[in-house]
Structure formats: structure tokens, C-alpha cells
Amino acid sequence: MPDTITLQVARYRPDTDAAPTMQEYVVPLRQEWAVLDGLNYIKDQLDGTLSFRWSCRMGICGSCGMTVDGDPALTCGTFLADYAPGPVRVEPLANFPVIRDLVVGIDDFMRKLPKVKPWLVREDEPGVADVEFLQTPPQLDEYQQYSMCINCMLCYAACPVYAIEPDFLGPAAIALAQRYNLDSRDQGAHQRMDVLATAEGVWACTYVGECTSACPKGVDPAGAIQRYKLTAATRTLRSFLPRGER
Amino acid sequence: MSELARESSMQRPHEAPTQRAVPAQVRPYRPRVSRFWWLRRRSYLLFVLRELSSVFVAWFVVYLLLLVDAVYQGPDPYRRFLEWSGRPWVLVLNMVALAFVLLHAITWFNLAPKAMVLRMQGRRVPARLVAAAHFAAWGVASGVVAWIVLGGL
Amino acid sequence: MARRSSSEAIGWLLFSAGGMVSALLVPVLLLLFGVVFPLGLLAPPEHAHLSAVLRHPFIRIALFVLCMLSLLHWAHRFRYTLHDGLQLKQLNKLINLLCYGGVVAGSSWAAFVLFG
């Protein structure tokens, strides 16, 4: 294994640049170094002006997502040795506005997320604050997979529909809606349906399936969307029986 | 409207004028999506090919109706249809169509368990089993059709 | 804020039904009539046999359903392919009209051939 590797890093300085440019840095190549370690080496030793987000270094904070050699990835969990002898291209997450260098703006997602009410909705509130809601292991199994989402946005970066249709609610928001829809303690499914069963909700998805391949936590948003399509479609059929909606 | 709000919220207040010309607005860079985005990744290309298989499904409907019409018209038009179906361009078109239709069938049955969540005795049926059941149904349906066409009925 | 779209839901259900029947039945039919018989790998069925099969009312109905649902399947996928793949968002209404107009035309033709 060579002892150095070249990182080609996207630089964008909004006050001077019209578009991002690539800059090369040579960093040590160590067996245990992730791409994020390489970026931190640049920041500490080579070029302090490089901007990027990171926090936990253990794949749980969801802030170090970038495009590594064309694929959306958490840079703390993507190892330089796998790209030897290099060079490795490091770019900001696709489909988001670039604020500076490797930092993207995620305001769009932050605006969409609360629309699906990603919390337990109870019809019988208030008055149940001190009540325990029991849940059996099979009931937990129903949604647990979706609760692993860390809002890292890799699925949005992988989704061509989101790239073309910025109004699309997107994989993570829909998967998180399903996380609560499938929770035995939740009663908000019909409220979420107003947001999910729309042209910008699940119906915009054409099942490319890349969100699921990109997810570092094994969430399968594509499956969540597909499953919700069937739910929404059967509900629509049933709604024709008593009263025609729309 | 919301786009504007977002952009203005990211604007930095103007700093003291420097020697370099500072653009009036410091805005985030928004990459444009190429019209050929589906060539960028193998999985995107496969997706577009899967979607385009529907064109060949539609072609099959046309081909089937031409066949059925010829059969209803009598033995001679049926013989002429068979001759026409052996022409090189028709044959090549149908071979390509068959490849696309197979792509459609295989991807379809693999995706089916994503939407269908079946339960037996309170347990969720594994996705692989649901897919396998679809492939088995495909085999049976194909067998029955071939049996009818080849003179079983 | 967009509202629940029941037309999208119905369109998707028909698309799914069409995807299912076409995946089950089209490959074998296309293999036989499009490739195997023209290549002479198997002798094509006699006209008398096919004619008898196609005059069976159950077969007529089955083929009509297959044609109509397959076209509905095509219309849904094709309009999304044009919409997303070529980014023809502004032509959405025209695309929908052409695709579902094609379904109506094709299904009418199928009804004419099978029951006319």
C-alpha cells in the first residue's frame, strides 16, 4: 500500500467563485483512516480554509455526508484504503445548494420534515401524560427499521426524482412518516396521509431504488414508499364507497 | 417564494469593501440537472431501461391485435401474418421486445414484495418467499398459455 | 399545499394491475409468436386450432383485459419517463393526454378486433 493518497476536493467560495473548482491535496494513507480523517488532516495541516461538516465520527450524527467518487457516503464510514491508490474525488452532497466547499444547505428538508409529523400523534390527548404505552416486540419490529434514520440526506442525494422535482417530499421524510404510521402507539396516520398521498408525496416516486442502496443505516426508504403507495391506493378505493372524495 | 426566503436567509451582511469586487449577492451554488442524468450511473440507466420496457409492452399489444385480427379473418390472412412475422426487421424488433419484457417481468416480481406485506399466523412472510411465489406463478401462467397455444385445449 | 390525489392513486393501481398481468403473460406469448414460430423452432399452430381458441368467450375477455391493462401500464410508466427522464414538466398536460388517449384508442381497437 502506498503511504500517501491524493484527495480531489471540491472548493466553492461563494464570495469569489461562480462555480465549484477541484483542488488536490496529498494526505497520508493509513489503513484505519476514513475519508473524513483525510479531510481533517487537510484542515489541520495543509489548508485551514477548507469547510466541511462533521461531528461524531461514528456514523450516528449524520452530518458528514458527501459525494465520494460519485457516490453519496458518510465520510466517517468510507475508508481511504478502499480507494487506493487514488485519487479520491470528494464533492458536496448532490441535489442540494452548496453553501461553501463541502457544506450544503438542507433547509428544504428541514421545512418538509415537520409536515409529516414525525412524532407520536395521539387523538386522546391531553390527559394521558402519565400513561405508559406498552408495546410488544413484534409491534416494535413493525417500525424499528425506519427509526434508524439519522437524517444524513444521502437518500436525497441519490434520488433523481428529488433532483428533478424539488417539491418531492423525498425518501427520508416518507420513511420517517411510516416509522410513526406503523407504530402501535400512534394515531396520526390519517393526518399524515394528507401530506403523503399527494403528487409531491409518494406518487412522485418512480422507484429508482437508489435511496435504499445509499442508506448507511439499512432503512429502505424505497420499500417504505412502495408500501405506502399500496396503503394510499387501497384507502382511496375505500373512500369511493361511502363518499366520493375530490 | 420560499426559495427566495431561503436564499435571503443565507445572505451574509456586507463586509467592509475589499479591493476585490464582491458580487452584490453571495448565493449558494445550485448545480443544474443534466437532461442525460440517467447516463451518470449504471443503476439509473437500468431504471430508465426498466421504464422503457413499457414501450415494448405496448408494442406487444399492437402485435397481438394484428395476430388476433389475422386469425379472425381466415387461414390466408393468418398465413400472411406468419410470413410477415418472419421478416428480419419484425423478428429483430420482437427479440429486442422480448428482452425488455423479460427485464420488466424479472424486476416486477423482485419489487412486488416491497409493496406487499403479507402476514401468516401473525408473522410477516419473508420478502424472498413473496418474490418466489410470484416467480412460481409466472412459470405456471407461462406453462398454461403455451399449453393452450400449442394445442392442449 | 397539495391535496390527496385520488387520480394518482387510481392511475397507480391500474399501472400495477397492468404490470402484473403483462409480466405474467406477455413474455411467453411474445416468445412463442414473436420468436419461436417465426424462427421455425416449433411449427406454428394450425389456423383451425387458433381460431377455435380465439372464439372462446373467456379467451376474448382475457385478451381484452390483458390489452387494456397493459396499455394502462405503459401510459403510467411512459408519462413518468417523459416527465422525469427528459424533464418535460411544462408539457405535463399534453403528455397525459397523449398517453391516456393512446390507452383509449388502443382499447377501442382491441374491443373492435375481439368483439366486433
Side-chain angles (χ1 to χ4, degrees), chain B residues 35 63 71-72 78 104 138 148, chain C residues 22-23 33 45 47 49 54 86:
Chain B
R35 215 166 266 257
Y63 188 74
V71 172
Y72 284 146
Y78 174 56
H104 162 58
W138 185 25
I148 293 175
Chain C
S22 61
F33 286 100
H47 176 263
H49 167 66
L54 287 175
L86 296 177

Side-chain angles (χ1 to χ4, degrees), chain B residues 57-85:
Chain B
V57 170
W59 155 249
F60 165 77
V61 172
V62 173
Y63 188 74
L64 177 74
L65 288 174
L66 289 175
L67 165 69
V68 171
D69 194 37
V71 172
Y72 284 146
Q73 305 261 332
D76 275 344
Y78 174 56
R79 194 175 38 73
R80 261 179 273 130
F81 176 87
L82 288 179
E83 278 166 19
W84 175 75
S85 71

Side-chain angles (χ1 to χ4, degrees), chain C residues 7 16 19 31 36 88 92 102 107:
Chain C
S7 58
S16 302
L31 177 70
V36 169
L88 301 173
N92 223 358
S107 304

Side-chain angles (χ1 to χ4, degrees), chain A residues 89-168:
Chain A
R89 243 175 331 118
V90 185
E91 293 160 291
L93 275 184
N95 304 342
F96 290 97
V98 183
I99 295 174
R100 173 182 287 270
D101 296 343
L102 300 166
V103 179
V104 295
I106 57 167
D107 311 52
D108 180 55
F109 175 70
M110 299 312 284
R111 219 159 8 86
K112 284 170 181 165
L113 186 58
K115 284 187 189 163
V116 301
K117 305 193 183 202
W119 52 81
L120 286 181
V121 174
R122 297 290 301 186
E123 309 264 84
D124 45 13
E125 271 177 326
V128 289
D130 54 349
V131 175
E132 239 184 322
F133 292 111
L134 297 179
Q135 195 164 56
T136 64
Q139 286 173 329
L140 174 67
D141 274 350
E142 281 298 306
Y143 69 85
Q144 193 175 24
Q145 174 208 1
Y146 303 123
S147 73
M148 304 310 281
C149 176
I150 55 174
N151 302 355
C152 67
M153 309 283 96
L154 297 196
C155 53
Y156 284 76
C159 175
V161 176
Y162 179 61
I164 292 156
E165 191 68 74
D167 290 333
F168 177 37

